[in-house]
């Protein structure tokens, strides 16, 4: 666990403020068991099952985060995927939030991140997603043209570049040099603040959906107070 701050709010950092390769338990807090840290497999597992009203979440408290400049990077792996065909979608959100694990992703919070979802019309999408005092799951963002499948691997970068702007990028390599797709967003409010929790959360509300998707997150790195790494 390396904590380094280079004193800049707009510059470049070579060292992460926080990083986790899940070799040990660094103190993540969770609600439910379908998003959890495995120190045996050295990763953060997610499992989105055929379950009604499933709202598990896990957070790591970064304690203090800039309201205008930071970079979050992680490896995202889809192990198994089966398409949802019922009228109840399933979503996974990853990013920074103002609310801890006890607040599910469909509840009010400020947040910035990425959404992976399976919808009832036979589609599965990736979206940028932000919220300001409202549901993170139902917040604002843009659909990617990229759509995940079985055995998918992405290197995700979420970058806050100002009080009102952020970019979500997908890369195919661990050096974050081969870009697949990126979406840049301008938020409608300047007070999306207090995003102290690194958060992974599931939302499968309503009746039980069909289909599942499981996978994991690894190689988490967070850089505070900078806009490039």
């Amino acid at each position: 666990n390396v904590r380094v701050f280079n004193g800049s709010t707009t510059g470049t950092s070579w060292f992460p403020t926080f990083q986790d390769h899940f070799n040990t338990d660094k103190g993540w807090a969770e609600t439910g068991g379908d998003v959890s840290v495995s120190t045996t497999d050295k990763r953060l597992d997610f499992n989105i099952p055929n379950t009604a009203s499933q709202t598990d979440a896990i957070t790591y408290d970064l304690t203090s985060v800039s309201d205008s400049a930071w970079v979050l990077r992680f490896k995202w792996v889809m192990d198994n995927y089966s398409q949802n065909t019922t009228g109840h979608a399933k979503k996974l959100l990853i990013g920074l939030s103002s609310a801890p694990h006890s607040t599910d992703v469909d509840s009010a919070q400020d947040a910035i991140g990425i959404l992976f979802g399976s919808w009832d019309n036979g589609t599965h999408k990736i979206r940028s997603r932000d919220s300001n005092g409202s549901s993170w799951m139902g917040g604002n963002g843009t659909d990617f043209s990229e759509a995940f499948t079985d055995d998918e691997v992405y290197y995700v970068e979420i970058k806050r570049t100002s009080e009102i702007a952020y970019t979500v990028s997908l890369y195919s390599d661990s050096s974050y040099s081969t870009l697949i797709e990126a979406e840049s967003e301008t938020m409608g409010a300047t007070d999306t603040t207090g995003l102290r929790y690194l958060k992974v959360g599931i939302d499968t509300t309503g009746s039980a959906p069909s289909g599942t998707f499981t996978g994991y997150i690894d190689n988490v790195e967070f850089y505070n107070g900078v806009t490039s790494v």
Side-chain angles (χ1 to χ4, degrees):
N1 186 356
V2 180
R3 293 188 175 274
V4 177
F5 178 59
N6 72 351
S8 170
T9 59
T10 57
T12 300
S13 176
W14 294 106
F15 303 103
T17 308
F18 169 78
Q19 61 182 344
D20 202 344
H21 299 282
F22 304 104
N23 299 310
T24 60
D25 183 358
K26 286 185 167 63
W28 292 76
E30 66 183 79
T31 298
D34 282 328
V35 278
S36 61
V37 170
S38 171
T39 55
T40 301
D41 294 325
K42 298 180 175 59
R43 63 195 195 185
L44 193 159
D45 290 316
F46 58 83
N47 171 47
I48 304 184
N50 300 333
T51 305
S53 300
Q54 198 266 21
T55 55
D56 291 3
I58 191 169
T59 54
Y60 182 86
D61 189 354
L62 296 163
T63 68
S64 180
V65 172
S66 168
D67 291 329
S68 61
W70 48 260
V71 179
L72 172 64
R73 286 178 165 183
F74 55 89
K75 179 183 179 181
W76 185 91
V77 179
M78 174 66 74
D79 281 334
N80 296 289
Y81 172 78
S82 60
Q83 175 62 44
N84 180 42
T85 57
T86 68
H88 305 282
K90 303 179 297 184
K91 288 84 59 179
L92 174 74
L93 286 106
I94 309 163
L96 264 60
S97 170
S98 63
H101 60 96
S102 54
T103 300
D104 65 72
V105 295
D106 196 24
S107 298
Q109 60 204 282
D110 287 7
I112 293 173
I114 188 170
L115 181 153
F116 296 88
S118 175
W119 275 262
D120 59 332
N121 59 0
T123 62
H124 44 286
K125 295 181 179 180
I126 303 168
R127 293 175 172 169
S128 55
R129 186 61 97 211
D130 64 85
S131 62
N132 181 264
S134 59
S135 164
W136 187 14
M137 186 276 292
N140 302 305
T142 302
D143 288 352
F144 281 67
S145 59
E146 177 74 11
F148 59 85
T149 60
D150 272 345
D151 301 318
E152 196 79 75
V153 178
Y154 297 123
Y155 293 87
V156 180
E157 180 182 78
I158 305 167
K159 180 189 301 185
R160 187 167 191 175
T161 54
S162 74
E163 291 182 349
I164 62 170
Y166 70 98
T167 300
V168 179
S169 303
L170 300 176
Y171 293 87
S172 62
D173 62 313
S174 60
S175 62
Y176 293 84
S177 59
T178 305
L179 180 66
I180 299 171
E181 187 176 350
E183 297 293 341
S184 295
E185 306 295 344
T186 300
M187 298 180 288
T190 61
D191 60 343
T192 302
T193 59
L195 310 186
R196 63 184 286 178
Y197 296 100
L198 174 54
K199 190 171 193 174
V200 182
I202 297 170
D203 180 65
T204 58
T205 56
S207 299
S210 65
T212 62
F213 61 88
T214 61
Y216 64 90
I217 296 163
D218 195 5
N219 301 337
V220 174
E221 295 182 347
F222 175 72
Y223 302 79
N224 192 31
V226 298
T227 55
S228 61
V229 176

